[in-house]
Amino acid sequence: MPNFGRIFVTSTSSRQIQFALKYVFWKYSVLEEVQERMNKEKLLGTVGLVVFTMFSFNLPIKAQSQKEGAPLSEKAQKGKAIFNDRCFVCHDVDSVRVKPLGPTLNGLFKRDKLVVGKPVTEENVKEVIKTGPTPGMPAFRYTLSDQEIDDLVAYLKVK
Amino acid sequence: MRYSKLISWILLSAGMISGNRLLSADLTFPFAESSLSGLVRSEKGEPLEGILVRAKRDGVNKALTVASDAQGKYRFPKLEAGRYVVEIARADGMEEPRKSGVEIKASQESRADFQIGAAQDIEQHIAGVDWIRNLPGTAEQQELISDTCMHCHTGILARSRFDKDNWLKIVRLMRGVHVHSGEWGMPTHGRTADAPLNRDMPGWEEKNQVIAEYLAQIRGPVPLKWDSAKTKVIPRPTGRSTRVLFTEYEIPYPNAELHDIDVDRYGMVWWSDWRWPYLGMLNPETGEMKYWESPPLPGKPEVHPGSQEVGFDEDDNVWTTLTWTGGLLKFDRKTEKFFTWMFPDRGLRKLMQNGMDHKRGRVWFSTHDYYDDDDIGFYVPKTGQYTVYNDFGLYGLVVDSTGNAYALERTGRGSGPRSQIARVDAETGVRTNYKTPTQPAAFPRRGDYDSQDRIWFAEYNAGQIGVLDPKAGKITEYKLPLGPSLALPYGCGVDRVNDIVYVEQYRADSLAALDPKTGEIWEYLLPERYLMARSPRGSPSSKPGYSVIWVGTLPRWGNGKLIKIEAWYR
């Protein structure tokens, strides 16, 4: 199971700080690469994460509707509907600052590597969607058809 | 003039988008003129009553839906000319086909007939209430899913498939964190200050395993075979329940989640968003929708900016809650600026309902500290002062027209269920408790007041509508026809022009209506399933014998909508 709460015993007198720590630990525990880092770091480092998180959440919030660029292809349009239906609860594609549980997918295809370490290719992204290789992400192979995953990737490619 | 800006805006928008004007305003039933009608029949050719038929013009964010009558005939009012999609919006348990490219012309009545049989893939054509009761497995297994997942998620389970390991990821997430909160991702925990996290409690993971195991059986890699003939389906509307017109408006930004709405005295419909920092307004006369973004909150880094209940102060300014972060949000109608008031302890807390005492300039709220403190109180914007009353095990809060507050309680501090209405007198601050006749777990959830300041509420667990008459000091309960296991009434709203009481039945996606004068109860199916609609709200544009009711929706797919229900109930 995901390694929830390993460092949650870091109690302080302030309930609020305690919560913030718990939240940040949980949030980042779903990302394997960050979890690796967490394992190495001590409290000071994690306080840094808290501060970063607090700061980042104060940035202005913009809804997706206000950031639409070029018109989407029909395929990407279908992919967008699937994204909003299935992915949006954990991921954003437009730097929407509403505390995504998983990594942002904005600019995914401009990156070198996926969080699982593989290069960002259509095939590898499809593989991640189908198999859910991280502790937090479920495998969508039985929920989404190959066609739907194709459409979804077409949408992610233009975000 | 106080509302000059708003009014000029409304007039301007009316002029600019007259092409989108609602032609259905001020209708009488049956409609004098019609642009589209047709018959809905079974495969054997028998007329089907209570089938909902939707007409949506291509490229427009609005759709109209009507119901077929005892002869299977449906008839729309006059529609704008254009190309439409005409579809069966709801025929639970049956096929729901659509016809694209139906031409509607200004001067003639178009026709579209439907002949439908039992749905092949019936699991996708029934409401959540029918899905759960038709599942294979033991009563305990059904109850597990019903209690763990479906008090929020009415339909997403039936649209997802995972193997056990992957269901487990989802179950751990859902049971282990507050997904919707000021600390999105914050671990769930017990109600005492030193309570361990839920995920550290004995049996937590074992229960996850049992849930995931069952989910993988019913929604796993191998689809279950559903037998249409044996699937129980809630009854379709008949008679007066078919004399209804729905107008659905899509919210103009994606992923909208409308938990609460309200209608101001001009008939404008305001929505807050559970997920986004938006407050929006629909002008039903023109179809114009507008929304404003509230600013980030200083000193509240953990903010998740969703809101819940909406209310209007004596100057018609709009108030809502900063639900997950413990504050109130005011939208000044004149300047279109936001003002925020945060609960002064700066701690993590929810602030849920609000209600208005116009006479005393108070904004009532309920608040919860994520532990065991359930309080209600009021804030006075003119003085900046606030008052808190402790220990209310509440869910909903109703403030009547004279400023008295009523907490709808479902539990006591550190105790089990306790269903009662706790009244706090506006003048004296004295609290009086009224127990519901059904005890202990009727669960009064959300409510509203009628024209005589009686307090109406939905009893979620008991499948009843309750009413407190404060003058008589008595609560009366009305049983809903679907019964306690199926009705699950969440929110309650009163058409105060007629004093007809409406409750939203959560998993059936329907509204039940009660006429307190006769005790009669009847139902309307909403035009879509899995809407997760909460509290209906009456509009001042209701007229004798004709209710105008609104609900907001927060489906977990598609987008949030505002739905207007026009009911000719006599």
Side-chain angles (χ1 to χ4, degrees):
Chain A
M1 66 175 281
N3 195 352
F4 293 128
R6 190 181 321 138
I7 321 174
F8 290 174
V9 289
T10 314
S11 61
T12 72
S13 56
S14 156
R15 189 191 283 173
Q16 186 168 356
I17 291 173
Q18 200 175 342
F19 265 128
L21 283 168
K22 285 173 185 173
Y23 164 64
V24 169
F25 288 137
W26 186 86
K27 174 181 171 174
Y28 283 92
S29 71
V30 299
L31 302 177
E32 283 180 323
E33 58 178 8
V34 180
Q35 192 167 354
E36 285 275 309
R37 220 168 77 200
M38 279 173 57
N39 293 343
K40 293 174 191 159
E41 285 178 356
K42 302 294 179 194
L43 186 61
L44 274 179
T46 52
V47 167
L49 269 179
V50 174
V51 172
F52 166 75
T53 311
M54 288 176 163
F55 175 73
S56 64
F57 290 165
N58 265 337
L59 295 174
I61 293 153
K62 292 288 172 202
Q64 298 180 6
S65 60
Q66 298 170 344
K67 298 193 69 172
E68 296 300 346
L72 295 173
S73 67
E74 193 180 332
K75 203 170 163 59
Q77 194 68 41
K78 285 180 186 165
K80 181 181 176 180
I82 295 161
F83 180 87
N84 285 340
D85 186 355
R86 296 293 182 182
C87 318
F88 176 75
V89 71
C90 292
H91 300 281
D92 69 64
V93 279
D94 285 309
S95 301
V96 177
R97 310 241 174 228
V98 189
K99 303 184 180 178
L101 292 170
T104 177
L105 302 180
N106 181 245
L108 178 66
F109 278 86
K110 296 187 186 85
R111 295 177 210 166
D112 295 333
K113 283 186 178 176
L114 298 166
V115 292
V116 291
K118 291 184 179 175
V120 182
T121 64
E122 278 193 36
E123 284 316 305
N124 287 341
V125 170
K126 284 178 191 172
E127 187 69 13
V128 168
I129 296 168
K130 282 182 187 176
T131 61
T134 62
M137 175 155 167
F140 281 89
R141 67 159 74 91
Y142 304 117
T143 292
L144 296 175
S145 67
D146 285 351
Q147 180 62 55
E148 287 173 317
I149 292 173
D150 277 357
D151 293 343
L152 184 53
V153 170
Y155 178 61
L156 293 176
K157 282 184 82 171
V158 298
K159 296 314 288 182
Chain B
M1 191 180 159
R2 184 180 287 161
Y3 312 119
S4 56
K5 190 166 182 180
L6 178 74
I7 290 166
S8 57
W9 171 71
I10 290 166
L11 289 174
L12 183 66
S13 6
M16 284 173 68
I17 54 157
S18 57
N20 196 30
R21 269 198 83 246
L22 257 185
L23 294 174
S24 55
D26 293 330
L27 289 170
T28 53
F29 197 93
F31 311 124
E33 291 183 282
S34 173
S35 303
L36 174 67
S37 62
L39 281 176
V40 188
R41 287 170 297 170
S42 69
E43 283 176 328
K44 291 179 186 165
E46 296 153 336
L48 293 173
E49 185 177 17
I51 306 289
L52 303 190
V53 183
R54 177 187 291 121
K56 186 172 187 299
R57 186 153 69 101
D58 293 354
V60 171
N61 73 337
K62 187 186 81 183
L64 293 180
T65 298
V66 294
S68 59
D69 64 15
Q71 285 72 49
K73 183 168 186 182
Y74 74 86
R75 191 162 173 271
F76 281 89
K78 196 144 176 62
L79 303 170
E80 294 143 29
R83 279 168 64 90
Y84 279 71
V85 171
V86 182
E87 62 187 354
I88 302 293
R90 260 187 100 169
D92 289 17
M94 305 188 79
E95 294 167 321
E96 292 165 328
R98 63 164 53 186
K99 296 176 195 285
S100 301
V102 177
E103 287 291 340
I104 304 286
K105 293 178 181 161
S107 54
Q108 68 184 67
E109 189 167 328
S110 300
R111 191 177 169 100
D113 293 341
F114 292 92
Q115 195 154 12
I116 56 175
Q120 295 297 308
D121 184 11
I122 196 166
E123 188 183 14
Q124 302 305 317
H125 294 269
I126 49 178
V129 69
D130 289 329
W131 183 75
I132 185 73
R133 69 169 162 158
N134 283 296
L135 284 177
T138 63
E140 288 75 23
Q141 284 175 315
Q142 286 183 11
E143 206 171 295
L144 191 63
I145 301 302
S146 172
D147 285 349
T148 312
C149 315
M150 291 187 70
H151 293 309
C152 294
H153 303 289
T154 57
I156 191 73
L157 298 175
R159 292 182 68 248
S160 304
R161 272 188 201 291
F162 299 101
D163 59 22
K164 185 189 167 187
D165 285 348
N166 285 285
W167 273 120
L168 206 45
K169 292 181 186 178
I170 296 166
V171 173
R172 284 179 186 138
L173 171 71
M174 290 286 108
R175 296 189 70 226
V177 302
H178 290 282
V179 171
H180 249 312
S181 78
E183 312 70 40
W184 201 1
M186 179 183 93
T188 52
H189 54 73
R191 287 175 69 87
T192 55
D194 55 353
L197 303 179
N198 286 356
R199 65 173 69 114
D200 295 333
M201 295 287 282
W204 186 79
E205 177 60 12
E206 287 77 1
K207 189 173 176 184
N208 293 342
Q209 295 279 345
V210 173
I211 294 168
E213 178 81 42
Y214 183 53
L215 285 171
Q217 284 172 30
I218 57 176
R219 292 297 304 174
V222 184
L224 279 182
K225 285 196 169 55
W226 283 67
D227 183 344
S228 294
K230 288 185 183 160
T231 302
K232 290 173 278 186
V233 179
I234 49 171
R236 289 202 307 269
T238 58
R240 77 164 107 181
S241 297
T242 65
R243 297 200 295 273
V244 63
L245 174 67
F246 302 94
T247 313
E248 299 164 76
Y249 298 88
E250 289 166 21
I251 299 301
Y253 54 84
N255 297 305
E257 295 189 0
L258 275 54
H259 192 285
D260 288 286
I261 59 154
D262 210 345
V263 188
D264 71 16
R265 62 191 174 117
Y266 309 103
M268 302 293 133
V269 186
W270 292 82
W271 78 85
S272 66
D273 195 303
W274 219 23
R275 187 183 194 102
W276 300 102
Y278 295 149
L279 183 71
M281 192 195 88
L282 163 70
N283 178 348
E285 291 301 316
T286 63
E288 171 83 348
M289 297 172 108
K290 194 174 178 185
Y291 62 99
W292 298 265
E293 180 179 334
S294 57
L297 303 178
K300 279 280 182 179
E302 67 283 14
V303 159
H304 175 63
S307 297
Q308 284 192 199
E309 289 191 348
V310 177
F312 312 100
D313 67 17
E314 60 274 26
D315 296 322
D316 289 323
N317 296 314
V318 188
W319 288 78
T320 187
T321 58
L322 294 159
T323 301
W324 312 119
T325 49
L328 288 167
L329 186 66
K330 173 193 169 189
F331 178 68
D332 188 307
R333 243 160 131 148
K334 207 157 44 175
T335 62
E336 299 193 356
K337 296 266 190 269
F338 284 95
F339 160 83
T340 55
W341 174 75
M342 301 309 295
F343 195 87
D345 69 1
R346 312 298 288 174
L348 290 174
R349 58 171 58 249
K350 299 181 206 172
L351 200 137
M352 317 287 272
Q353 289 78 25
N354 72 18
M356 299 294 156
D357 177 349
H358 288 175
K359 187 177 163 191
R360 299 166 192 83
R362 293 171 177 170
V363 186
W364 280 86
F365 56 81
S366 70
T367 182
H368 179 237
D369 71 346
Y370 290 95
Y371 282 95
D372 204 22
D373 283 335
D374 264 322
D375 304 325
I376 68 170
F378 60 81
Y379 169 68
V380 184
K382 284 206 171 92
T383 63
Q385 293 180 319
Y386 73 102
T387 302
V388 170
Y389 300 90
N390 298 116
D391 190 18
F392 290 79
L394 83 181
Y395 201 84
L397 178 71
V398 179
V399 178
D400 71 13
S401 72
T402 58
N404 302 299
Y406 297 81
L408 313 185
E409 293 194 291
R410 62 167 172 163
T411 183
R413 185 195 286 254
S415 70
R418 174 184 77 182
S419 296
Q420 66 181 22
I421 311 302
R423 177 182 190 273
V424 175
D425 187 275
E427 284 298 328
T428 64
V430 171
R431 171 179 180 159
T432 314
N433 297 328
Y434 302 93
K435 282 195 181 311
T436 57
T438 301
Q439 285 293 331
F443 191 179
R445 209 155 181 181
R446 295 292 193 88
D448 200 3
Y449 62 95
D450 68 13
S451 70
Q452 301 165 54
D453 274 339
R454 292 174 299 191
I455 307 304
W456 292 88
F457 49 91
E459 291 185 349
Y460 185 77
N461 285 349
Q464 299 178 142
I465 301 175
V467 59
L468 167 65
D469 182 345
K471 288 181 196 133
K474 188 185 164 203
I475 290 178
T476 307
E477 293 170 330
Y478 298 83
K479 289 188 191 312
L480 289 163
L482 284 179
S485 63
L486 305 185
L488 300 170
Y490 180 97
C492 182
V494 182
D495 156 16
R496 283 190 280 273
V497 175
N498 294 293
D499 275 347
I500 302 290
V501 181
Y502 292 84
V503 293
E504 201 277 343
Q505 302 184 116
Y506 192 64
R507 287 184 203 163
D509 291 289
S510 64
L511 280 187
L514 162 69
D515 184 346
K517 291 183 275 300
T518 63
E520 286 176 286
I521 295 179
W522 62 100
E523 290 174 320
Y524 302 97
L525 284 188
L526 291 168
E528 202 177 318
R529 290 182 291 267
Y530 315 137
L531 286 171
M532 295 159 78
R534 301 305 217 268
S535 298
R537 284 291 174 256
S539 164
S541 49
S542 299
K543 289 173 185 157
Y546 163 70
S547 282
V548 180
I549 301 296
W550 289 85
V551 294
T553 76
L554 70 166
R556 190 50 268 146
W557 64 89
N559 200 23
K561 286 178 182 171
L562 282 167
I563 303 179
K564 178 189 189 184
I565 301 108
E566 293 173 84
W568 292 265
Y569 63 84
R570 274 190 191 143

